[in-house]
Amino acid sequence: MVILAAIFALLVVSASAAESFSNKSSVDCGGLFLLHMGDKQFSARGCNENASIGINNLTLYGGLAHYRIMGRYTDEWDVKGVNDLKFGNAGFESRFKYTTLGVDISSLPFIRSKIEIHHPDSLFFFGASIMRGEPEIGNIRWISENKSDLVHEISVDWQTHFLYRHFDAGSKIANHQFGIFAGFFETSPENPSKEYFVRDSVQAIILGGNYKGNFAKDSVEARYIFADADIYLYGIMLQEESRKRFMYIPLNAQLHFAEAKWKRKYLQAHLDFAYATAQMDANPDRFFETIAPNRALPTSVLKALSFSFLKKNFRVDADIDAMGIFGGATLQWPIGHQLTFTPKINIDGYYAQGEADIRKKTENTVIISTQSYIEEFTRKLSSFGSVLTLGSELSLWKNLSIDYSVTQLIPFHISYREIRPGEVKKKDDDERSHGGSHGPRLFEQEKTKGDVESTASAAFRNGFATSLSVVYRI
């Protein structure tokens, strides 16, 4: 942050010694620990430093950031994902009477440029921005539960190459502001010079609208977003200029998101709603298996095994639905004037449920014969509870502020089940002796597994977050 501040100071001096300017520097660090179980884990932590300088209608800014995201999920294969990001960014925004121009450059790499045309009093405005980047999604490892498997682990790097175009328009009338926007996102599949990699091809459209209103004592906001995406993920092994596909995941997904906010002085409330669906249809053609670990083997191993190698491939069809409601209120009460201490308490409630209908076809090939079997099952997740956040902010003469908070997820109910169809059984002799119908009877007998721990120790071990922020202004 010291280096960034020095660079901005030089820019200010070179601009004009007589110019008035405002400076803001901040450091934010936080962590989220959502799951901590043997077969399901997710955590994220990060720190970022930011500095900005405003010179009349020009704002210069920059930052440094470090994020680490880790996840793990077990289902026949142990899937682990890690993304360790360290990057910096710098940019500017210049505001004129009828236009606003801006450029943001990051070392991810990523670049964004925008232009906005507006009426001097914002009676109307419309703008456009374009973003292009090649960020690394991270590393994904598939680890077999069977330690004796010849394909025990596949380690894959994933880097995406995306282009995003955004358009928005709106109007501000008195204390009311209305806006609409549209975004178009796409990625270009590219083949890096690596042994294992993920290649993606995504086409997505994002539409939405928002409203802001300021009244005598209250302010309200509302927003709605719809997104539709076609996603294709390919896992590729490259060896001696030969490429073999060992993963193929085609997804079509839709998202509906709506939120509303209300604020009055030291009290604010919000309500969020999200509904998402996704469909995956397996391709029946050869070499389009959802996952085929045998094709991730090097050629030398295949030659040594000759025709006796046991091949196992998977084709998966899935329909996924998920819904969540999240809402609550925040209360803060400042104490003091020059030195202000502000305790804060935030109480939220949530309800979430999701269901996945899965049809998995497993194919085994030994020498020249092929055997296959199909599994059909449903996985259901439901939970409701509360989220409690306690925090405080210390402000010194409005120049320095320190904000710290801790958040704990407190689930009242968690249920994760896998339901499989029952089997055909015959009625017993007693039923037949009482004149019941003869022959077999088909019924569903739910078999569940994978329930999530609901003990107090598990509740407070999962869903914890903390955040520390320091802001300095001139």
Side-chain angles (χ1 to χ4, degrees), residues 129-154:
S129 63
I130 185 169
M131 306 178 215
R132 181 182 292 275
E134 300 177 1
E136 293 185 359
I137 304 299
N139 175 266
I140 304 173
R141 290 189 298 155
W142 285 273
I143 304 172
S144 176
E145 288 185 334
N146 186 358
K147 304 301 180 182
S148 63
D149 281 353
L150 290 169
V151 189
H152 173 61
E153 178 178 328
I154 302 172

Side-chain angles (χ1 to χ4, degrees), residues 2 180 227 242 301 365 423:
V2 175
I180 58 174
S242 175
V301 176
T365 302
E423 56 186 5

Side-chain angles (χ1 to χ4, degrees), residues 305-368:
L305 293 169
S306 186
F307 293 104
S308 62
F309 175 57
L310 175 64
K311 297 182 179 180
K312 181 180 286 188
N313 303 323
F314 304 94
R315 301 181 192 271
V316 179
D317 295 276
D319 287 303
I320 304 170
D321 290 276
M323 182 271 288
I325 301 175
F326 187 72
T330 300
L331 176 64
Q332 56 184 12
W333 53 98
I335 303 172
H337 297 285
Q338 297 296 326
L339 175 63
T340 306
F341 177 71
T342 307
K344 304 176 183 179
I345 181 171
N346 178 258
I347 301 177
D348 289 300
Y350 76 89
Y351 173 75
Q353 69 172 20
E355 181 174 321
D357 295 318
I358 301 171
R359 182 180 185 271
K360 182 171 67 175
K361 182 179 182 180
T362 303
E363 301 174 343
N364 294 279
T365 302
V366 182
I367 306 179
I368 59 174

Side-chain angles (χ1 to χ4, degrees), residues 204-223:
I205 181 172
I206 305 168
L207 304 173
N210 55 70
Y211 164 77
K212 295 181 181 180
N214 294 311
F215 304 93
K217 295 182 179 180
D218 308 298
S219 63
V220 295
E221 295 183 29
R223 181 172 58 158

